[in-house]
């Protein structure tokens, strides 16, 4: 995909990966819209404050990106939440929020975005290594991400004829700080994770090259 002049919406564009993706994509000439619950105006990107767990807010975010840049060429799903702890200590509310944010949100937002994304466009999900290697103490998170990876694979097949590229990326633990603000539980001691700038560079390389799958060992 050609990034110069492309209109790209980043869900979770204020997060550790999302904000770095936004910065780099702007440097490469893309028109970027960042969306999150805490998005505040910053120069060079369009910001939309929205809770994307609501389908109507997904539709509004897409409308605002199209209004700002006249088109939509890509969506990057970098919104997500994590929780830690055994299933016995994981509440129903936590399970629901993990699936709402990590699974339903990208499905709702992809559905809204596909009303606008034309031939040659891109959808990227960032499911993570847990979609390949589900982890004890992160059962519901792993399940929400494995479901996202399955969604990504299925729509890749569905959208092939429209020449829309769908990429699922499954990086391992990355030093963005995600593990320091779980919605429940406390992170175990992980060994040093990936450098977020290197992960972002690999994600952008995949978008430019039209790759469709970035397994954990691609990082
Ligand atoms: N870091 C890792 O180790 C790692 C590894 C593999 C995969 N991933 C995945 O990569 C994605 C980005 O991770 P990260 O490390 O950048 O996490 P992060 O720094 O916590 O960023 C998460 C982003 O999602 C946004 N968000 C959360 N709930 C939202 C909602 N309901 N509506 C709109 N935006 C929402 C957050 O903003 P607000 O809270 O302001 O809404 C924030 O911008 C996540 O899906 C994560 O699971 C991360």
């Amino acid at each position: 995909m050609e990034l110069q002049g492309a209109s790209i919406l980043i869900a979770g564009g204020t997060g550790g990966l999302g904000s770095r993706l936004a910065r780099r994509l702007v440097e490469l000439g893309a028109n970027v819209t960042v969306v999150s619950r805490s998005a505040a105006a910053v120069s060079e990107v369009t910001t939309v404050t929205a809770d994307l767990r609501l389908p109507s807010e997904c539709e509004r975010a897409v409308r605002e990106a199209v209004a700002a840049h006249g088109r939509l060429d890509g969506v990057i799903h970098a919104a997500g939440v994590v929780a830690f702890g055994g299933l016995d200590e994981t509440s129903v509310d936590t399970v629901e929020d993990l699936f709402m944010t990590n699974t339903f949100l990208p499905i709702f937002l992809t559905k809204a975005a596909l009303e606008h994304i034309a031939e040659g466009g891109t959808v990227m999900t960032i499911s993570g290594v847990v979609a390949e290697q589900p982890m004890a103490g992160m059962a519901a998170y792993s399940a929400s991400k494995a479901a996202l990876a399955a969604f990504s694979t299925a729509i890749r097949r569905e959208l092939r004829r429209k020449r829309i590229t769908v990429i699922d990326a499954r990086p391992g633990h990355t030093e963005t700080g995600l593990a320091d603000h779980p919605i429940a539980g406390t992170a175990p001691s992980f060994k040093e994770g990936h450098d977020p700038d290197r992960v972002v560079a690999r994600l952008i390389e995949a978008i430019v090259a039209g790759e469709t799958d970035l397994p954990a060992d691609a990082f």
Side-chain angles (χ1 to χ4, degrees):
M1 177 189 198
E2 168 65 51
L3 292 175
Q4 180 70 42
S7 165
I8 299 181
L9 185 155
I10 307 177
T14 58
L17 288 178
S19 62
R20 287 175 172 85
L21 280 162
R23 208 174 311 127
R24 191 69 194 114
L25 287 168
V26 167
E27 284 167 6
L28 293 167
N31 297 313
V32 174
T33 303
V34 303
V35 191
S36 77
R37 292 168 299 182
S38 64
V42 285
S43 60
E44 294 187 300
V45 298
T46 301
T47 53
V48 180
T49 309
D51 184 340
L52 294 171
R53 290 173 295 186
L54 299 170
S56 58
E57 288 292 88
C58 292
E59 288 163 11
R60 180 174 67 84
V62 167
R63 271 200 311 275
E64 293 200 18
V66 172
H69 302 295
R71 53 191 286 159
L72 185 63
D73 301 291
V75 173
I76 302 178
H77 294 287
V81 290
V82 71
F84 301 103
L87 190 59
D88 54 346
E89 52 202 31
T90 304
S91 72
V92 169
D93 282 352
T94 297
V95 175
E96 283 182 356
D97 197 10
L98 286 167
F99 274 80
M100 275 308 286
T101 308
N102 296 342
T103 317
F104 289 5
L105 181 164
I107 294 175
F108 296 153
L109 180 59
T110 303
K111 191 168 161 52
L114 286 174
E115 300 276 319
H116 297 273
I117 296 180
E119 264 201 15
T122 297
V123 176
M124 171 177 269
T125 53
I126 309 175
S127 59
V129 65
V130 294
E132 297 174 7
Q133 297 162 39
M135 278 184 68
M138 300 177 72
Y141 176 75
S142 300
S144 72
K145 291 296 196 168
L148 176 62
F151 168 73
S152 200
T153 301
I155 57 158
R156 180 179 313 128
R157 293 174 180 154
E158 210 168 297
L159 297 173
R160 198 174 290 147
R161 256 185 297 126
K162 287 190 174 166
R163 296 204 321 105
I164 294 174
T165 303
V166 181
I167 310 168
D168 183 48
R170 299 185 292 283
H173 175 57
T174 305
E175 300 295 342
T176 59
L178 171 68
D180 302 330
H181 51 258
I183 57 168
T186 307
S189 52
F190 288 112
K191 67 174 177 85
E192 180 78 12
H194 294 302
D195 172 349
D197 289 322
R198 292 179 74 118
V199 169
V200 162
R202 186 68 187 89
L203 296 176
I204 289 179
E205 183 184 55
I207 293 171
V208 170
E211 292 177 71
T212 55
D213 198 44
L214 285 179
D217 63 11
F219 292 90

